[in-house]
Amino acid sequence: MAESLSGVQLSTTYRGAAILSYLGEQVPLIYCLETEPQQGEEEQKVEQRLLYPLECFLFGEDPCVGLEKLQQYNSSSSAQQCGRVFKEGETVYSCRDCAIDPTCVLCIECFQKSVHKSHRYKMHASAGGGFCDCGDLEAWKSGPCCSQHDPGTSVTMETVQFIFSYRC
């Protein structure tokens, strides 16, 4: 087991080094300070030589294919997640009856549309940086989704749709 694990670690280290080496070659070619780039030329080089190869690496395939699969997965997943990131001082709600632990919280919109509204709950101000756990099946004993994020709704992430329509 240790040999295969170390083999994975070596492979990951090798890939990381290969990416850094590639970026080390390409960035100076794109951002050459000796010549003034023509309008749009630099952006096109960045897209073709830096962003597209990194997207291919991250997806493990053509990014358009990967984004399409992600969109299909997102629309067919068993539960939608809110994931709203809280600002410092924003009010969050934790259900004392259903939350797995006190860090499992809901934003006001999800709380108002959930079964937890009629349970014993605690309101407090967020320290910032946390996110809404609505739709996270591992955060709740029951009622993991509000009515907006309930499975079967056709709510899709705007970000994924925007990227998908823009890129492909």
Side-chain angles (χ1 to χ4, degrees):
M1 277 285 222
E3 292 176 23
S4 64
L5 180 60
S6 64
V8 170
Q9 289 172 342
L10 287 175
S11 176
T12 303
T13 302
Y14 174 75
R15 280 187 267 148
I19 290 170
L20 290 176
S21 174
Y22 177 79
L23 292 175
E25 293 170 7
Q26 294 299 315
V27 170
L29 295 174
I30 296 169
Y31 296 107
C32 180
L33 300 177
E34 296 175 7
T35 61
E36 187 68 29
Q38 293 185 11
Q39 188 175 7
E41 181 182 346
E42 191 173 89
E43 290 85 7
Q44 184 180 10
K45 286 181 180 179
V46 167
E47 175 67 31
Q48 291 174 345
R49 294 184 183 175
L50 298 180
L51 298 179
Y52 183 76
L54 287 173
E55 290 170 344
C56 289
F57 172 75
L58 291 172
F59 280 106
E61 61 188 337
D62 182 276
C64 291
V65 173
L67 284 171
E68 186 175 343
K69 287 179 182 176
L70 181 62
Q71 185 180 33
Q72 289 172 355
Y73 173 77
N74 188 41
S75 64
S76 68
S77 73
S78 61
Q80 299 288 328
Q81 292 187 344
C82 176
R84 175 184 173 153
V85 177
F86 298 121
K87 296 176 184 167
E88 185 176 351
E90 188 173 354
T91 304
V92 296
Y93 298 81
S94 179
C95 181
R96 293 179 181 228
D97 297 328
C98 303
I100 296 296
D101 63 57
T103 66
C104 300
V105 294
L106 297 171
C107 66
I108 188 167
E109 291 85 6
C110 292
F111 177 75
Q112 292 294 329
K113 297 173 185 175
S114 75
V115 297
H116 307 293
K117 189 169 128 177
S118 62
H119 295 177
R120 295 179 309 128
Y121 62 89
K122 177 182 176 184
M123 296 174 37
H124 63 278
S126 171
F131 57 90
C132 179
D133 291 304
C134 182
D136 183 352
L137 303 177
E138 296 178 1
W140 308 100
K141 296 173 189 170
S142 65
C145 301
C146 71
S147 59
Q148 180 179 345
H149 297 108
D150 195 25
T153 61
S154 59
V155 177
T156 57
M157 290 176 29
E158 292 176 24
T159 310
V160 172
Q161 289 217 344
F162 172 75
I163 292 170
F164 184 75
S165 63
Y166 174 74
R167 298 274 295 135
C168 303

